[in-house]
Amino acid sequence: MSIAAPTSRAQVLPVTGHRHDEILTPEALDFVGRLVDAFADRRLDLLKERTRVAARLASGSPLDFSIATARIRADDSWQVAPPAPGLTDRRVEITGPPERRMAVNALNSGAQVWMADFEDATAPTWDNIIGGQLNLLDAIERRIDFSTPEGKRYRLGEQVATIVVRPRGWHLTEEHLEFGGRPAPASLVDFGLYFFHCAQRQIDAGHGPYFYLPKLESRDEARLWNDVFLLAQDLLGIPRGTIRATVLIETITAAVQMEEILYELREHSSGLNAGRWDYLFSLIKTFGHRTDFLLPDRAKVTMTAPFMRAYTELLVRTCHKRGAHAIGGMSAHVPGRDPEAHQAALATVRLDKEREAEDGFDGSWVAHPALVPVCREVFDGVLDTRPHQIDRTRNDVEVTAAQLLSVRRVSAPPTPEGVRINIAVALRYFAAWLNGQGAVAVDGLMEDAATAEIARVQIWQWLRHRVVDRATVVELLEDELAALGAEYPWAPVDDVRDLFERTALARELPAFFTLDAYTRHLAHRPDGQSLEGQSPEGQS
């Protein structure tokens, strides 16, 4: 397939690694360049709009459903595209980074879908990004089998999960790849490389190029993705509508635009997902300056809280009204060695999935293969032989913007243990992330960028409103840093301390996931693993 050259040639900045040339071909880079040419400026305009909206909300402007798009919500005639091959039954979806061992385990897990995550679960070293693309290509070609040095064999079974790829968000750039001297949007890099190499292969295998779209804040950002899909399909001669995309509703501004987001993507839409951890972070980030949005310990903000119930019920109603899948949130528990603790974790997961299935969700997320049977059993009990429950329209649900924002019934000061846990989670995640690992088990939970965000931003909010003493936080920080160094001798303790001080102890709330901004400080680490490829733009 001949791809017309972009106006600016690609420049790959780092030294390429093993097999990188299989992904970074001239044709693939030209394809990404065409996408960058077409959409980079429009992306920047939308990031500026994010900043304007954030400023308006911070100044007291109300958040509500838009009057300008009321006609879209009132028009009952439109529906999203029908489920695509491999996405009809989504009762269990497993998530994780596109690391080789994880890929084999996830594909073999018994889940219907594997969400290969280039975003929250992947630290953006260049080797991780391009290695992830190679692993996806190898998985589709069924050549991903391998053995560990200890002799453990990993190989694909006959029945494997459908692959859905989550690229990084619009706010990030990939500074290892430039066009015309400017870093490429990370979203277009992740999407473009996978689509170029794997779209037709997936179609030939009976599925298709499927995606999860993170961190959207408006219907205009959904429209931008839809236009990317149209151009990408046209460039490679793939019929329009072949792509399917599920949008994660994980920002408060997207929550009041769910229906409009489905509308913009309707030709390519496969539903919405309740990205609950980032959603909580977005709520604090947007309204954290207000005392009436003071949230308690993360463990106490459950999905039964009224404002979280409003969010999930609105999502199910919106999706089913338009013929789309509604996918539930992450269960982050990981198996433990203590049998009692393990059984308690499974019981917690079961209750969470029972609530989702009874509310009308068509499936849900888990973070570990051991949770797949529990999630499957729960949804089997509700769905039986049906692939989904889209026909359950939930017309009984009526949700207002005020209900989405009503946190007062759970608002409370933190406990000393809640403060300590947030500090411990943030430090351990920061250490892993700086070491190139984007998902890490901490105290029985799989933590990723989303949960690290909540941990650090809650500390910031509690300090801002003086419900936690700064001296207490600093003392706990030193204790947890000492524990971190003892537990993980490899941990870059000084860098972790610096990062925590910049993100949680700052006087003003730092930008969206400040780990991204911090990467510039670590752009040329001695080990050569620059994390500079995830720098944020346009964030307030």
Side-chain angles (χ1 to χ4, degrees):
M1 175 66 64
S2 176
I3 302 295
T7 57
S8 301
R9 302 298 297 179
Q11 182 180 7
V12 180
L13 300 185
V15 176
T16 57
H18 177 59
R19 294 183 63 201
H20 281 202
D21 58 330
E22 295 180 37
I23 298 297
L24 300 172
T25 64
E27 295 81 8
L29 292 175
D30 283 349
F31 177 76
V32 174
R34 288 291 302 276
L35 300 179
V36 172
D37 276 353
F39 302 111
D41 289 342
R42 188 167 146 199
R43 164 188 167 269
L44 288 176
D45 289 340
L46 289 175
L47 293 181
K48 292 175 183 176
E49 179 60 19
R50 283 188 182 185
T51 301
R52 288 191 288 268
V53 169
R56 289 199 298 270
L57 293 174
S59 67
S61 295
L63 179 70
D64 207 340
F65 298 93
S66 172
I67 296 175
T69 55
R71 59 175 181 80
I72 293 175
R73 300 191 300 274
D75 182 358
D76 292 334
S77 66
W78 63 269
Q79 296 274 288
V80 304
L87 291 180
T88 301
D89 187 332
R90 303 173 62 180
R91 68 188 67 198
V92 187
E93 300 193 349
I94 190 168
T95 76
E99 181 269 334
R100 204 165 186 85
R101 179 176 61 87
M102 173 65 196
V104 176
N105 286 340
L107 290 167
N108 288 341
S109 67
Q112 278 72 27
V113 169
W114 171 42
M115 195 273 282
D117 189 10
F118 284 94
E119 198 223 10
D120 280 350
T122 295
T125 66
W126 192 230
D127 276 345
N128 281 351
I129 296 301
I130 303 305
Q133 295 281 351
L134 281 164
N135 290 333
L136 291 172
L137 180 59
D138 286 349
I140 295 166
E141 294 285 340
R142 298 191 65 87
R143 61 186 185 208
I144 200 171
D145 298 2
F146 72 102
S147 298
T148 66
E150 296 75 25
K152 187 172 182 179
R153 179 75 170 168
Y154 290 84
R155 67 182 69 188
L156 289 182
E158 288 301 315
Q159 297 294 323
V160 297
T162 299
I163 295 174
V164 180
V165 172
R166 176 160 71 168
R168 286 168 285 177
W170 281 129
H171 62 294
L172 301 175
T173 57
E174 177 51 78
E175 297 195 11
H176 298 106
L177 180 58
E178 291 185 350
F179 291 90
R182 296 172 59 187
S187 299
L188 298 181
V189 174
D190 299 342
F191 165 82
L193 292 176
Y194 175 74
F195 189 81
F196 181 84
H197 290 291
C198 298
Q200 190 60 53
R201 286 179 166 93
Q202 286 284 48
I203 295 167
D204 294 342
H207 287 167
Y210 305 144
F211 299 91
Y212 258 106
L213 305 181
K215 306 296 188 290
L216 267 64
E217 297 196 14
S218 71
R219 67 187 180 97
D220 294 322
E221 296 179 20
R223 184 186 302 159
L224 175 57
W225 267 120
N226 197 70
D227 290 346
V228 171
F229 296 161
L230 291 174
L231 178 60
Q233 290 166 138
D234 288 349
L235 288 173
L236 295 189
I238 290 173
R240 290 189 171 195
T242 301
I243 292 174
R244 288 291 192 277
T246 305
V247 173
L248 290 118
I249 300 299
E250 50 190 351
T251 65
I252 187 63
T253 52
V256 295
Q257 299 184 52
M258 293 186 197
E259 212 154 352
E260 292 88 336
I261 286 170
L262 285 179
Y263 179 82
E264 296 294 349
L265 284 160
R266 60 194 181 281
E267 185 181 7
H268 300 103
S269 178
S270 55
L272 303 176
N273 173 285
R276 56 197 186 189
W277 302 126
D278 270 305
Y279 185 77
L280 280 175
F281 164 66
S282 172
L283 196 73
I284 301 171
K285 173 177 177 283
T286 305
F287 299 107
H289 58 289
R290 290 171 48 174
T291 56
D292 54 336
F293 279 84
L294 186 66
L295 293 178
D297 299 354
R298 177 174 57 135
K300 294 183 178 180
V301 186
T302 68
M303 296 307 294
T304 60
F307 76 100
M308 296 300 285
R309 291 284 293 159
Y311 154 64
T312 54
E313 291 203 318
L314 176 63
L315 190 147
V316 172
R317 184 186 188 281
T318 300
C319 286
H320 289 183
K321 177 182 177 182
R322 303 303 179 180
H325 281 90
I327 306 299
M330 169 69 81
S331 285
H333 291 277
V334 295
R337 295 180 180 178
D338 182 342
E340 290 188 9
H342 180 59
Q343 290 304 314
L346 292 181
T348 300
V349 172
R350 180 179 296 277
L351 285 174
D352 182 53
K353 300 312 172 191
E354 286 175 348
R355 175 192 52 77
E356 290 182 327
E358 290 167 3
D359 283 350
F361 281 96
D362 303 292
S364 192
W365 275 12
V366 298
H368 194 280
L371 302 182
V372 169
V374 177
C375 187
R376 176 189 287 276
E377 182 181 341
V378 169
F379 276 90
D380 283 351
V382 171
L383 298 178
D384 195 17
T385 59
R386 296 178 298 157
H388 50 69
Q389 51 182 334
I390 291 175
D391 58 342
R392 190 179 168 202
T393 56
R394 291 306 310 270
N395 291 329
D396 57 305
V397 171
E398 293 290 341
V399 174
T400 65
Q403 290 173 316
L404 293 172
L405 300 176
S406 182
V407 305
R408 291 179 181 85
R409 290 173 63 181
V410 298
S411 181
T415 66
E417 181 64 7
V419 177
R420 187 198 65 78
I421 288 173
N422 272 12
I423 294 173
V425 166
L427 296 184
R428 280 157 178 74
Y429 185 78
F430 291 173
W433 191 87
L434 293 172
N435 199 48
Q437 185 179 359
V440 58
V442 178
D443 294 333
L445 295 175
M446 187 63 71
E447 308 286 359
D448 65 7
T451 52
E453 277 287 48
I454 296 172
R456 68 95 176 174
V457 80
Q458 280 201 303
I459 295 294
W460 175 88
Q461 186 189 37
W462 295 336
L463 287 171
R464 177 186 175 94
H465 295 298
R466 294 185 173 88
V467 295
V468 172
D469 182 70
R470 192 176 186 86
T472 300
V473 172
V474 171
E475 182 179 352
L476 286 170
L477 171 62
E478 295 304 324
D479 291 345
E480 291 300 326
L481 282 170
L484 174 67
E487 187 176 355
Y488 302 125
W490 50 263
V493 174
D494 289 341
D495 286 337
V496 170
R497 179 201 307 274
D498 187 27
L499 180 51
F500 187 86
E501 291 174 348
R502 288 169 182 254
T503 61
L505 301 185
R507 296 297 179 183
E508 296 299 325
L509 180 61
F512 197 128
F513 203 41
T514 309
L515 280 178
D516 308 332
Y518 188 74
T519 57
R520 292 184 180 275
H521 179 65
L522 298 175
H524 303 289
R525 298 173 66 206
D527 61 5
Q529 290 297 302
S530 166
L531 293 176
E532 196 174 351
Q534 195 164 329
S535 302
E537 293 184 352
Q539 297 301 315
S540 57

